[in-house]
Amino acid sequence: MSSLPPAPSLLAPDEPPAFEVVNPDGRSSAVLLCDHASNVVPRRLARLGLYGDELSQHIGWDIGAARLSRRLSTLLDAPLVLSGYSRLVIDCNRPPGSPTSIPQISGGVPIPGNAIDAAEAEARADACFWPYHRAAAALLDARRERGKSTAVLCVHSFTPSLLGEDRPWHVAVLYGRDRRLAGPFLEALRREPVLCVGDNQPYYVTDGGDYSIPVHGEARGLPCVLLEIRQDGLIRDEDVEAWAQRLARIYREIEAALLPGAGGA
Ligand SMILES: [Zn+2]
C-alpha cells in the first residue's frame, strides 16, 4: 500500500502572497496593519460558493481600507502590512478557531464554502493567517531590536448599515486595555464638528474577538488603536485623501506628546 500523495497547497504558485509589506523601513513611529485589505479568494476554494457580488461587498473585505492605509503609509512614512486574502477565507483579526474566524454566515449571507473540517481550517490558517501575522511580528521585532519607538495602528472600515441598522458614526476609535492612543484620537476627532465619532462603537476590542490589537499591540506593551472609517466615506479618491490627511495630522500631534523624540517624517 503506497502512502497518500501530499495534500495540494491552498495557494497555487501564481497566486498572490498572503501579505504585502509596504515601506518596511519607514521612519515613522507608526506601524500600520490592514487586516481586511483584500477580497481575493484562493482559486482552489472556488469563490467559497458565492456567485453574486458578495465578495465585493463589506462581508468580503473592508472597502477602502487598503487605499486609506497605503496613503497613510506614504504621508507618515510608516511601514504597512496588508493581508492578501478575503476575511471570508479566514479572518486575520480573529483568533484561529474562534467562532467567527471562518464564518458560515456573514452579515446574514450564508457562505457555502465555509462548511469545512478542522484540517481544512488549519490549512487556511497556514496559508493565509499565519504568514500575515508572522510578517507583522517580524517587522515589530526588528524595530524593537533597533530600539525604535513604535505604536500600532490597525486600519479598518465598516458598513454604513448592518442587518437593517444604520450606523451614525463617520469614524470609530476602538481599543481594549490600552487607551494611550485611543484617548487622544477620540479627543482630536471630536474637535471636528462635522464628525460623529464612535467610542468603542459599533465594535470594541476583545481577546476573543480580535487578534491584531491584543497580540501585536497590547502583548508587546505598544500603544495601539483600531481605527474604523465608515465605508461611504472611502468611496471617492478625494474622500480617501481627506481621511488620510486628517489621520496623519492627528497622529503626528499625538505622537509628539506620547512618544517624544519619535517623530520620523
Ligand atoms: Zn475590518
Side-chain angles (χ1 to χ4, degrees):
M1 195 174 146
S2 61
S3 58
L4 291 167
S9 162
L10 182 58
L11 302 182
D14 64 332
E15 289 190 282
F19 64 89
E20 180 187 355
V21 180
V22 174
N23 194 14
D25 300 319
R27 290 179 300 152
S28 175
S29 61
V31 168
L32 308 171
L33 302 179
C34 194
D35 300 327
H36 299 146
S38 168
N39 65 349
V40 174
V41 171
R43 264 201 310 276
R44 202 160 74 78
L45 300 183
R47 296 181 58 91
L48 298 169
L50 300 170
Y51 295 101
D53 65 352
E54 298 93 339
L55 286 168
S56 64
Q57 304 294 317
H58 70 95
I59 63 169
W61 60 337
D62 281 3
I63 295 166
R67 285 198 298 153
L68 173 62
S69 304
R70 288 179 193 279
R71 193 62 194 121
L72 206 45
S73 163
T74 301
L75 289 173
L76 289 172
D77 189 17
L80 161 66
V81 188
L82 304 112
S83 66
Y85 286 89
S86 171
R87 63 187 303 172
L88 294 179
V89 174
I90 185 164
D91 193 318
C92 282
N93 191 34
R94 300 285 183 276
S98 67
T100 51
S101 166
I102 300 175
Q104 294 200 35
I105 295 182
S106 180
V109 178
I111 315 298
N114 280 354
I116 57 172
D117 62 17
E120 181 71 19
E122 201 179 319
R124 290 195 195 180
D126 288 344
C128 300
F129 181 92
W130 293 117
Y132 167 71
H133 286 293
R134 277 197 296 267
L139 199 143
L140 293 167
D141 287 346
R143 291 170 67 95
R144 187 172 55 201
E145 277 158 30
R146 295 203 311 271
K148 179 92 180 113
S149 289
T150 297
V152 175
L153 277 72
C154 299
V155 180
H156 290 254
S157 71
F158 63 97
T159 181
S161 174
L162 186 68
L163 302 173
E165 216 161 286
D166 289 342
R167 275 98 167 255
W169 312 281
H170 299 103
V171 55
V173 178
L174 312 186
Y175 50 93
R177 300 168 183 86
D178 187 336
R179 281 187 95 254
R180 283 178 288 175
L181 271 177
F185 256 110
L186 283 165
E187 249 171 65
L189 289 164
R190 282 175 176 153
R191 277 200 292 270
E192 308 207 14
V194 293
L195 294 180
C196 176
V197 182
D199 176 348
N200 261 349
Q201 294 187 91
Y203 306 105
Y204 54 95
V205 174
T206 62
D207 288 352
D210 287 79
Y211 190 89
S212 289
I213 290 285
V215 171
H216 298 306
E218 292 176 347
R220 290 174 179 266
L222 300 175
C224 50
V225 70
L226 192 159
L227 299 171
E228 294 246 17
I229 310 300
R230 203 173 66 195
Q231 285 162 4
D232 54 323
L234 296 176
I235 304 299
R236 301 183 312 166
D237 287 345
E238 54 266 46
D239 294 336
V240 173
E241 181 65 22
W243 269 116
Q245 295 280 353
R246 177 187 276 136
L247 296 176
R249 169 175 51 75
I250 292 173
Y251 181 73
R252 284 204 194 90
E253 291 165 11
I254 295 172
E255 176 191 47
L258 186 69
L259 301 165

